[in-house]
């Protein structure tokens, strides 16, 4: 039987409890074998990284966040000299490296409505099932309609996750840190300490 691998991609700048809870619920609902956290190098839509954490710091924050979870794994598959990669390229590369695995790519509801603008969505759908997290701002009926539309257009498999709606933004957390506000409990303790010691996001 093929291993069932969930993929949680993102800049993770910083990784927070919303990411961790979403990954854990996906693991539970889909009976996944593992969830891989895959920090992106320098994605095409976020090339300006001024005032952000470095690649090394983002990787270290992910490592610290998932260290105590045996079914979470850090993957640096998208960390390479070119700086960024497209999702379809990553998934196709994983299939070549690990042909005995089935992939489930986790996205937020907001990404579902942008999916048409992604590079080669048809090849993404061929390489993985899409697990869609819900959000309070997105009506259930609208979400299901969009999923059905994309399934028919790209011959894909879109699965709705029934996860808690934790509206936490990495941008908001960065702003709070710059303003000297507390972000305790939004982050794993080790990450909270690491950010303070490294002076990440400080003005």
């Amino acid at each position: 039987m093929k291993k069932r691998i969930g993929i949680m991609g993102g800049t993770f700048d910083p990784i927070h409890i919303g990411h961790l809870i979403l990954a854990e619920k996906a693991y539970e609902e889909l009976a996944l074998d593992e969830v891989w956290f895959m920090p992106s190098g320098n994605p095409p839509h976020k090339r300006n990284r001024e005032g952000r954490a470095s690649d090394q710091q983002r990787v270290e924050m992910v490592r610290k966040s998932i260290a105590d979870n045996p079914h979470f794994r850090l993957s640096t598959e998208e960390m390479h000299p070119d700086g960024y990669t497209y999702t379809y390229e990553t998934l196709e590369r994983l299939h070549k490296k690990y042909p005995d695995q089935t992939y489930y790519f986790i996205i937020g509801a907001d990404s579902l409505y942008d999916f048409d603008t992604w590079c080669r969505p048809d090849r993404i759908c061929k390489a993985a099932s899409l697990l869609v997290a819900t959000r309070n701002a997105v009506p259930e009926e609208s979400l299901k309609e969009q999923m059905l539309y994309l399934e028919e257009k790209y011959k894909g498999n879109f699965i709705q996750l029934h996860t808690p709606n934790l509206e936490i933004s990495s941008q908001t957390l960065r702003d709070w840190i710059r303003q000297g506000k507390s972000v305790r409990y939004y982050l794993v303790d080790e990450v909270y300490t690491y950010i303070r010691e490294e002076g990440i996001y400080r003005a």
Side-chain angles (χ1 to χ4, degrees):
M1 259 183 90
K2 289 192 172 186
K3 288 183 70 174
R4 298 160 63 86
I5 306 297
I7 296 179
M8 188 82 178
T11 50
F12 300 125
D13 194 13
I15 184 170
H16 54 65
I17 61 166
H19 297 128
L20 300 171
I21 291 171
L22 174 55
E24 181 71 7
K25 296 307 291 183
Y27 168 82
E28 184 180 59
E29 283 191 31
L30 275 296
L32 302 176
D33 291 291
E34 293 178 337
V35 178
W36 294 3
F37 285 76
M38 195 174 291
S40 54
N42 195 358
H45 61 293
K46 294 183 179 178
R47 286 179 178 159
N48 180 10
R49 305 291 303 162
E50 188 176 351
R52 309 288 185 92
S54 68
D55 285 0
Q56 182 180 354
Q57 288 170 330
R58 291 187 295 113
V59 167
E60 189 59 28
M61 286 190 282
V62 171
R63 193 191 313 278
K64 290 177 181 295
S65 291
I66 67 175
D68 65 347
N69 191 321
H71 51 258
F72 283 177
R73 174 178 159 186
L74 168 65
S75 170
T76 56
E77 187 68 33
E78 293 200 334
M79 292 287 176
H80 53 80
D82 290 339
Y84 68 88
T85 186
Y86 289 107
T87 299
Y88 82 89
E89 294 175 320
T90 299
L91 291 170
E92 290 176 354
R93 191 163 58 249
L94 287 174
H95 274 288
K96 289 178 181 176
K97 290 176 69 173
Y98 311 105
D100 59 339
Q101 296 181 164
T102 302
Y103 297 100
Y104 297 81
F105 193 77
I106 303 167
I107 64 173
D110 48 352
S111 295
L112 186 72
Y113 292 90
D114 294 336
F115 193 70
D116 272 325
T117 69
W118 289 28
C119 188
R120 297 309 302 266
D122 55 327
R123 288 168 70 170
I124 294 173
C125 288
K126 187 175 180 181
S129 296
L130 281 295
L131 305 184
V132 184
T134 56
R135 297 192 72 169
N136 287 329
V138 181
E140 181 92 1
E141 186 177 343
S142 172
L143 188 75
K144 289 182 177 178
E145 285 179 0
Q146 183 68 6
M147 288 170 62
L148 181 60
Y149 159 73
L150 292 172
E151 279 186 340
E152 293 177 348
K153 183 173 182 178
Y154 298 114
K155 306 297 186 288
N157 181 31
F158 288 76
I159 303 168
Q160 181 180 353
L161 291 171
H162 299 90
T163 53
N165 293 310
L166 297 176
E167 301 289 345
I168 303 172
S169 159
S170 293
Q171 172 69 63
T172 298
L173 296 181
R174 291 194 300 269
D175 289 344
W176 285 356
I177 292 168
R178 290 190 186 100
Q179 295 163 15
K181 296 181 179 179
S182 173
V183 293
R184 190 183 292 272
Y185 309 120
Y186 286 90
L187 310 170
V188 171
D189 285 347
E190 290 78 3
V191 172
Y192 180 72
T193 300
Y194 178 72
I195 288 172
R196 284 189 301 155
E197 289 177 347
E198 292 285 309
I200 307 174
Y201 312 123
R202 288 293 184 186

